[in-house]
């Protein structure tokens, strides 16, 4: 069935092992983030093994499907008030930044006869979620410590998301010293001082991770073997862990410039086209409903992606050595955005594959 997303379990497992080694050698717990592939339970189960300290996702729906896997689960997106019952039921640790939500979590935990662990988010300048002023954080801590069915498990920050701010000794050092200050002031221990996502790997490998940071939350570093502060490939990892395979449904020679008066395309944009003469074009049966076409790379480097509408993607195959025909399959490597969208599309058939480690792929 096509379009088909091949998920290479052997290569992903290898990446998990590499990242877990990096984390362990620096005394950092590894949180494996599963959201980019919708936490497909079979994949999570097969690649996590005993190397992963926590599983994390931003969606309760995804975490709900992982209940059979015996690894603590973290909810990364601050909860909606409307999902509190499921959060308490399915999640071990949730990230929070609003007392209104935390009070609700406490009430619900009481009802479910549980103690729910929370992590308070602190914003170090990336300007997505979290308390921004230190006094706000401290007064939240004070409130949380009064709640019977909530345990303050730690603090965390998120960087390189909205504001593209790079983790540093300075900003993460501030998080670590805030954690220490909270521990000293309230005479408690914070198990969880979470120093960011895949963008923190570079700092870690350069031995600059401030002492007191206890874990990292790794999505892209695991699945695509890449740190995200500078976009560098991580040594001893695979980048070709996911492959998209599409089927050709039309091959024709056509001009590169549309003919007639240009109005709006299928998405309401007024497009601009460059005249490249007559092109040999292939249509493959995949579209914007299935994938972010900016997030895939043709493996045949002579193919150029010209564009896509909801269900058709148009390729320029004029310069290809291979002569593509109707029914042929075209393969693409999948980047982060391509993975996110194609895993979410129910029209993309997902298949787990295993490889012998005969050849080590270099970075693309
Ligand atoms: C998505 C997400 C992560 C993982 O990010 P990567 O860059 O893929 O490692 C970590 N923390 C939070 C809060 C997230 O939303």
């Amino acid at each position: 069935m096509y379009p088909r997303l091949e998920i290479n379990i052997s290569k992903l497992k290898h990446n998990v092992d590499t990242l877990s080694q990096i984390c362990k050698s620096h005394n950092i717990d590894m949180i494996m983030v599963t959201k980019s592939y919708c936490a497909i339970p079979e994949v999570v189960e097969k690649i996590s093994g005993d190397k992963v300290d926590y599983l994390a996702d931003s969606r309760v729906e995804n975490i709900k499907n992982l209940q059979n896997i015996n690894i603590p689960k973290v909810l990364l997106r601050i909860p909606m008030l409307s999902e509190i019952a499921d959060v308490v039921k399915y999640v071990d640790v949730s990230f929070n930044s609003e007392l209104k939500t935390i009070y609700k979590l406490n009430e619900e935990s009481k009802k479910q006869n549980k103690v729910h662990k929370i992590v308070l988010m602190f914003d170090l300048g990336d300007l997505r979620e979290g308390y921004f002023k230190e006094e706000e954080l401290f007064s939240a801590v004070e409130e949380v410590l009064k709640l019977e069915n909530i345990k303050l498990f730690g603090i965390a920050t998120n960087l390189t998301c909205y504001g593209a701010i790079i983790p540093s000794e300075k900003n993460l050092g501030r998080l670590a010293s805030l954690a220490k200050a909270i521990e000293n002031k309230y005479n408690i221990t914070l198990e969880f001082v979470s120093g960011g996502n895949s963008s923190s790997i570079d700092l870690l490998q350069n031995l600059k991770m401030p002492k007191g940071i206890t874990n990292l939350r790794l999505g892209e570093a695991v699945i695509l073997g890449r740190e995200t502060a500078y976009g560098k490939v991580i040594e001893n990892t695979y980048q070709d862990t996911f492959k998209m395979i599409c089927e050709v449904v039309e091959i024709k020679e056509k001009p590169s410039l549309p003919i007639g008066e240009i109005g709006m395309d299928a998405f309401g944009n007024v497009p601009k086209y460059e005249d490249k003469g007559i092109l040999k074009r292939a249509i493959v049966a995949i579209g914007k409903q299935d994938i972010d076409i900016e997030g895939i790379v043709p493996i045949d480097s002579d193919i150029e992606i010209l564009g896509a509408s909801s269900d058709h993607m148009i390729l320029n195959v004029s310069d290809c050595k291979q002569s593509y025909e109707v029914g042929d399959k075209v393969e693409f490597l999948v980047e982060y955005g391509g993975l996110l969208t194609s895993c979410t599309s129910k029209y993309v058939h997902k298949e787990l594959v295993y490889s012998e480690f005969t050849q080590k792929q270099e970075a693309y």
Side-chain angles (χ1 to χ4, degrees):
M1 282 173 76
Y2 300 93
R4 184 168 86 207
L5 182 70
E6 282 188 0
I7 305 172
N8 194 309
I9 298 295
S10 321
K11 290 181 179 179
L12 284 168
K13 182 96 188 59
H14 182 88
N15 287 5
V16 171
D17 290 349
T18 298
L19 266 307
S20 126
Q21 249 162 19
I22 293 173
C23 288
K24 284 283 148 338
S25 70
H26 294 95
N27 267 324
I28 292 277
D29 284 342
M30 172 160 148
I31 304 182
M32 187 173 86
V33 176
T34 56
K35 66 189 183 205
S36 64
Y37 52 98
C38 302
I40 299 170
E42 212 186 337
V43 175
V44 178
E45 190 170 356
K46 292 209 151 95
I47 70 173
S48 55
D50 55 2
K51 299 282 167 68
V52 170
D53 299 292
Y54 300 88
L55 295 173
D57 204 285
S58 39
R59 316 235 170 198
V60 185
E61 291 99 314
N62 288 350
I63 292 178
K64 193 171 167 179
N65 294 331
L66 301 177
Q67 297 302 303
N68 291 333
I69 304 176
N70 194 19
I71 300 174
K73 291 157 199 88
V74 178
L75 180 64
L76 296 171
R77 186 171 65 189
I78 48 181
M80 295 185 261
L81 288 176
S82 56
E83 65 183 0
I84 294 295
D86 279 351
V87 173
V88 171
K89 190 161 177 201
Y90 299 113
V91 170
D92 299 294
V93 184
S94 65
F95 283 10
N96 284 275
S97 63
E98 289 290 350
L99 280 172
K100 183 174 177 182
T101 311
I102 297 168
Y103 293 142
K104 275 268 186 217
L105 284 166
N106 185 49
E107 261 171 52
E108 181 62 33
S109 302
K110 211 166 274 170
K111 251 190 242 166
Q112 295 189 26
N113 203 13
K114 282 187 163 179
V115 173
H116 181 75
K117 299 190 182 88
I118 68 156
V119 166
L120 290 174
M121 298 302 286
F122 190 73
D123 192 329
L124 294 169
D126 200 60
L127 305 185
R128 202 175 76 180
E129 73 274 49
Y131 291 98
F132 190 67
K133 295 181 188 143
E134 296 190 4
E135 58 270 26
E136 286 175 347
L137 177 68
F138 278 87
S139 71
V141 168
E142 251 158 65
E143 277 305 298
V144 169
L145 291 175
K146 292 179 195 155
L147 304 174
E148 252 173 61
N149 293 67
I150 295 290
K151 179 178 166 61
L152 180 61
F153 198 49
I155 62 173
T157 196
N158 197 53
L159 290 163
T160 340
C161 270
Y162 175 74
I165 297 302
I166 290 177
S168 65
E169 277 178 287
K170 185 159 178 238
N171 54 28
L172 287 184
R174 189 168 165 224
L175 186 77
S177 61
L178 273 170
K180 259 273 150 289
I182 291 169
E183 290 186 326
N184 291 340
K185 181 161 184 195
Y186 302 103
N187 197 23
I188 54 172
T189 309
L190 299 178
E191 280 190 46
F192 199 103
V193 184
S194 191
N197 54 39
S198 298
S199 68
S200 294
I201 289 288
D202 198 62
L203 200 66
L204 187 67
Q205 292 196 293
N206 287 320
L207 309 176
K208 291 193 174 144
M209 184 59 74
K211 206 166 156 276
I213 300 294
T214 62
N215 72 58
L216 294 180
R217 314 179 301 269
L218 304 180
E220 187 159 347
V222 167
I223 54 168
L224 297 172
R226 204 172 294 136
E227 63 79 33
T228 54
Y230 309 98
K232 288 188 284 192
V233 160
I234 299 166
E235 203 185 326
N236 193 22
T237 60
Y238 292 93
Q239 283 65 53
D240 55 344
T241 44
F242 292 82
K243 198 158 74 176
M244 176 64 77
I245 306 170
C246 308
E247 185 169 325
V248 176
V249 294
E250 184 188 291
I251 296 271
K252 295 211 185 305
E253 297 208 332
K254 294 186 191 181
S256 40
L257 281 183
I259 295 139
E261 190 188 345
I262 293 192
M264 290 186 293
D265 69 9
F267 292 91
N269 304 312
V270 178
K272 285 205 171 56
Y273 297 99
E274 198 186 326
D275 192 356
K276 298 177 188 169
I278 301 284
L279 300 179
K280 187 171 175 194
R281 297 151 66 112
I283 296 178
V284 289
I286 191 169
K288 287 190 178 170
Q289 189 160 15
D290 311 301
I291 196 147
D292 170 10
I293 62 166
E294 310 279 327
I296 51 175
V297 181
I299 291 178
D300 178 346
S301 57
D302 295 325
I303 293 178
E304 178 195 7
I305 299 175
L306 291 173
S309 54
S310 314
D311 331 281
H312 300 73
M313 180 162 69
I314 306 168
L315 309 176
N316 175 7
V317 294
S318 310
D319 298 331
C320 295
K321 284 153 207 96
Q322 182 182 341
S323 158
Y324 289 98
E325 289 175 31
V326 170
D328 281 353
K329 309 300 180 286
V330 184
E331 300 187 339
F332 301 84
L333 286 177
V334 183
E335 303 280 349
Y336 194 85
L339 187 58
L340 207 59
T341 42
S342 62
C343 281
T344 307
S345 171
K346 68 171 183 179
Y347 304 104
V348 172
H349 182 72
K350 285 96 185 167
E351 188 174 305
L352 277 52
V353 300
Y354 300 83
S355 59
E356 306 293 329
F357 290 110
T358 46
Q359 93 191 70
K360 173 79 180 70
Q361 292 281 338
E362 287 309 313
Y364 288 90

